[in-house]
Amino acid sequence: MSAPNIETIVSLAKRRGFVFPASEIYGGLGSSWDYGSLGVELANNIKQSWWRWLVYERDDIEGLDSSIIQNRLVWKYSGHETTFSDPLVDCRACKGRFRQDKLQDVKCPNEQNLCAGSGKECDLTEAREFNLMFRTTVGAVAAEDDESALAYLRPETAQGIFINFANVLNTSRRKLPFGIAQIGKSFRNEVTPGNFIFRTREFEQMEMEYFCRPEDAPRIHQEFIDGFQTWFQSIGISAENLKLYEQTKEELAHYAERTVDILYRFFPERTDENAQFDELMGIANRTDFDLKTHSKKPEDTEGKRINSDSTEDLSYFDEARKERFYPYVIEPAAGVNRTVLAVLMDAYTEKTNEKNETRVILKLKPELAPIKVAVLPLAKNKPEIVALAKQIKKDLQPAMRAVYDDTGGIGKLYARQDEIGTPFCVTIDHESLEDDAVTVRDRDTWEQGRVKISELKGYLQKRLS
Ligand code: GAP
């Protein structure tokens, strides 16, 4: 079982402190969200899992953290200034503004009137291109529209990697093939954001650019397509809720030779099976476009430099073959926020207890759970029990994220921890003072067992891994 729809997660996320609407006390800010105390832990755990899997467990990937605001020329030569736009249409009837290519997904704000027979039909303008990059100015400028100070908030982390290719190559003494990984915020002035954290204007990406010889690119591309499906399953997303989508020639970005998206079943409530799925990540073969376009040397067919501003040539010299060329790039690009949403949806289950009450259990992989263990005193008016519980929490904390909670009856406390995905609850009772043992309760089975306090840390560590 997974969540029946995104709304279920929106309500759980707000109730339990995963995600809140941003600027809520001022009426919110369209499709902006803040991560609460549990959400930030979950997102961090996802990012750490991704980083560990790519940067630590492999031997061919380096990390990077580049600036959000770069020289405007980066976005000129990447093509974003001219091509990073969506087709925009206005409706003269409802005054709404929509993406022409997503009209089937939007709800008319005037639907009520239409249904009531106001006679107002949709009346769309011609589409015009709307650039998605957020503009800003750098430094103390005299006028807001001073072109010389114009800069953008990055719409993807990828370009920061391409422009640092030579820096990383030279300092890490790498040889092809190798990759550079980066996690960070990106910004897009989306025309129609929505569906909770699925599409927002500020979001986080986990991107990796893998540089290789052109003839190796198709094979490596396929390896990452397979590898990422396995990674998503390793963090708890079930295979039946994942699907591949091969972009058509018409859909491919101008630089891409082949792109495969990994889709997740974000909309299980939709009757059309295909419409249930939407993009979780994209994996592109970007050819040699990026390193060439940011290099000073390449020339067009008329012998003119394609980049007259770059001071660097980002080609690669293969020592063994005595050959110079521009590496191909395989790019697995995932969204942190969409992964958080997919993980929450997939972990969502409901269970009925013996009193016939329905309980939510978030069956998160222990690795991702915001809290690994909750330590609960059975009698909070008994100072010896409280002191022992607090001591146990303190002893566990260096090894795992532990919390102490005495703000309710034990049934309530268990239910709260189940709902936020805490794999284990440890209960301290009167007997604990006699036998130096505690009760450990399993989130998924609700089974309980007695464990010696001296063995507790090792026992939990073993079960958490
Ligand atoms: N460098 C390639 C690139 O940026 P993309 O498909 O535009 O490719 C990669 O973005 C991933 O970033 C998407 O698959 C999605 O998970 C996430 N993403 C993109 N736009 C987003 C948005 N407005 N809100 C949330 N996540 C977004």
Side-chain angles (χ1 to χ4, degrees):
M1 183 189 168
S2 55
N5 49 40
I6 290 182
E7 286 316 307
T8 309
I9 299 300
V10 177
S11 125
L12 171 72
K14 175 139 200 235
R15 192 168 69 245
R16 288 299 181 217
F18 282 95
V19 183
F20 307 119
S23 309
E24 197 177 11
I25 63 165
Y26 289 107
L29 172 70
S31 298
S32 294
W33 302 90
D34 294 339
Y35 282 70
S37 45
L38 299 176
V40 65
E41 298 287 346
L42 175 60
N44 280 343
N45 291 343
I46 287 172
K47 288 185 272 183
Q48 272 166 23
S49 167
W50 184 91
W51 192 268
R52 197 165 45 239
W53 180 59
L54 284 176
V55 182
Y56 298 167
E57 291 176 13
R58 295 176 63 116
D59 298 316
D60 55 355
I61 297 179
E62 301 283 342
L64 181 78
D65 186 8
S66 66
S67 289
I68 285 174
I69 298 176
Q70 301 276 359
N71 189 313
R72 181 185 163 188
L73 292 169
V74 171
W75 310 106
K76 173 180 171 183
Y77 289 104
S78 68
H80 283 82
E81 272 198 336
T82 46
T83 64
F84 196 63
S85 53
D86 279 338
L88 189 79
V89 291
D90 289 304
C91 177
R92 297 183 189 96
C94 73
K95 308 292 176 219
R97 184 161 280 183
F98 311 104
R99 255 176 80 171
Q100 189 194 36
D101 57 334
K102 295 273 178 199
L103 278 175
Q104 71 279 6
D105 295 345
V106 295
K107 236 177 139 87
C108 174
N110 207 28
E111 201 171 44
Q112 291 290 341
N113 291 341
L114 287 174
C115 296
S118 70
K120 280 189 180 174
E121 295 281 318
C122 290
D123 182 8
L124 301 178
T125 60
E126 287 287 303
R128 61 183 191 285
E129 290 301 316
F130 172 73
N131 195 291
L132 299 184
M133 284 196 292
F134 275 101
R135 297 155 72 100
T136 186
T137 47
V138 172
V141 286
E144 280 293 304
D145 56 356
D146 184 344
E147 279 280 308
S148 66
L150 174 62
Y152 302 103
L153 304 188
R154 68 179 173 201
E156 61 172 16
T157 65
Q159 297 302 321
I161 296 180
F162 302 133
I163 59 173
N164 276 292
F165 171 73
N167 288 336
V168 177
L169 178 72
N170 296 334
T171 51
S172 65
R173 305 154 136 255
R174 287 280 177 188
K175 285 193 170 50
L176 290 192
F178 77 98
I180 304 177
Q182 165 156 245
I183 300 177
K185 288 254 170 136
S186 292
F187 304 81
R188 297 181 190 177
N189 202 359
E190 298 280 0
V191 178
T192 38
N195 288 317
F196 190 38
I197 50 176
F198 178 81
R199 181 170 285 108
T200 49
R201 296 191 171 106
E202 174 180 341
F203 56 97
E204 220 171 351
Q205 291 184 306
M206 305 182 277
E207 295 199 288
M208 198 272 290
E209 310 298 327
Y210 196 83
F211 303 94
C212 62
R213 294 187 60 86
E215 65 272 24
D216 294 336
R219 173 184 52 80
I220 293 171
H221 190 196
Q222 191 57 49
E223 283 168 9
F224 280 115
I225 296 166
D226 299 340
F228 269 92
Q229 290 176 86
T230 308
W231 179 70
F232 281 122
Q233 289 172 56
S234 80
I235 59 166
I237 298 179
S238 47
E240 65 183 37
N241 289 332
L242 292 169
K243 192 161 109 169
L244 293 184
Y245 177 75
E246 182 92 36
Q247 287 194 9
T248 62
K249 284 259 171 306
E250 294 70 43
E251 290 167 326
L252 284 177
H254 61 95
Y255 49 74
E257 191 169 289
R258 181 185 175 214
T259 298
V260 174
D261 294 333
I262 298 184
L263 313 183
Y264 177 74
R265 200 191 298 269
F266 285 108
F267 306 98
E269 74 280 14
R270 292 182 181 165
T271 40
D272 173 11
E273 165 101 15
N274 272 334
Q276 294 177 357
F277 288 85
D278 212 327
E279 181 182 328
L280 178 56
M281 77 174 293
I283 307 172
N285 175 349
R286 299 181 63 120
T287 70
D288 57 3
F289 171 82
D290 303 288
L291 294 182
K292 251 187 186 161
T293 197
H294 287 303
S295 288
K296 65 178 181 180
K297 277 195 179 157
E299 294 175 344
D300 61 17
T301 45
E302 284 154 20
K304 246 180 73 193
R305 282 169 61 189
I306 60 169
N307 185 330
S308 51
D309 294 300
S310 171
T311 59
E312 187 77 47
D313 183 54
L314 302 176
S315 62
Y316 174 84
F317 187 69
D318 188 324
E319 284 288 350
R321 303 191 193 200
K322 302 285 179 242
E323 193 187 341
R324 184 169 283 284
F325 61 95
Y326 292 94
Y328 264 43
V329 174
I330 302 300
E331 176 196 63
V336 173
N337 316 72
R338 286 189 194 181
T339 308
V340 167
L341 181 55
V343 161
L344 284 172
M345 288 188 77
D346 232 279
Y348 184 94
T349 60
E350 288 175 0
K351 187 167 168 173
T352 307
N353 66 13
E354 63 286 350
K355 290 187 208 146
N356 221 20
E357 297 160 332
T358 303
R359 295 273 184 246
V360 172
I361 308 179
L362 208 52
K363 293 193 174 176
L364 293 171
K365 285 265 171 185
E367 179 197 4
L368 298 191
I371 295 165
K372 312 300 181 200
V373 56
V375 184
L376 317 171
L378 208 57
K380 71 171 178 183
N381 50 4
K382 189 107 176 140
E384 300 95 303
I385 292 183
V386 168
L388 181 59
K390 287 187 172 166
Q391 187 58 46
I392 289 173
K393 186 261 156 184
K394 209 168 165 205
D395 293 344
L396 289 174
Q397 183 50 59
M400 65 197 73
R401 173 91 170 106
V403 295
Y404 167 88
D405 193 1
D406 65 7
T407 57
I410 195 67
K412 268 230 169 74
L413 295 181
Y414 281 156
R416 187 182 298 167
Q417 295 302 331
D418 285 347
E419 214 178 3
I420 64 173
T422 306
F424 296 106
C425 287
V426 167
T427 311
I428 290 78
D429 52 23
H430 291 91
E431 247 185 276
S432 305
L433 302 173
E434 310 296 323
D435 66 358
D436 292 325
V438 292
T439 301
V440 177
R441 173 186 177 273
D442 182 297
R443 174 195 69 196
D444 299 343
T445 61
W446 290 353
E447 274 167 13
Q448 306 193 357
R450 212 67 191 156
V451 178
K452 283 267 167 222
I453 294 171
S454 57
E455 293 164 11
L456 184 63
K457 192 192 287 180
Y459 171 87
L460 290 172
Q461 275 174 322
K462 204 163 149 208
R463 296 216 32 207
L464 284 167
S465 58

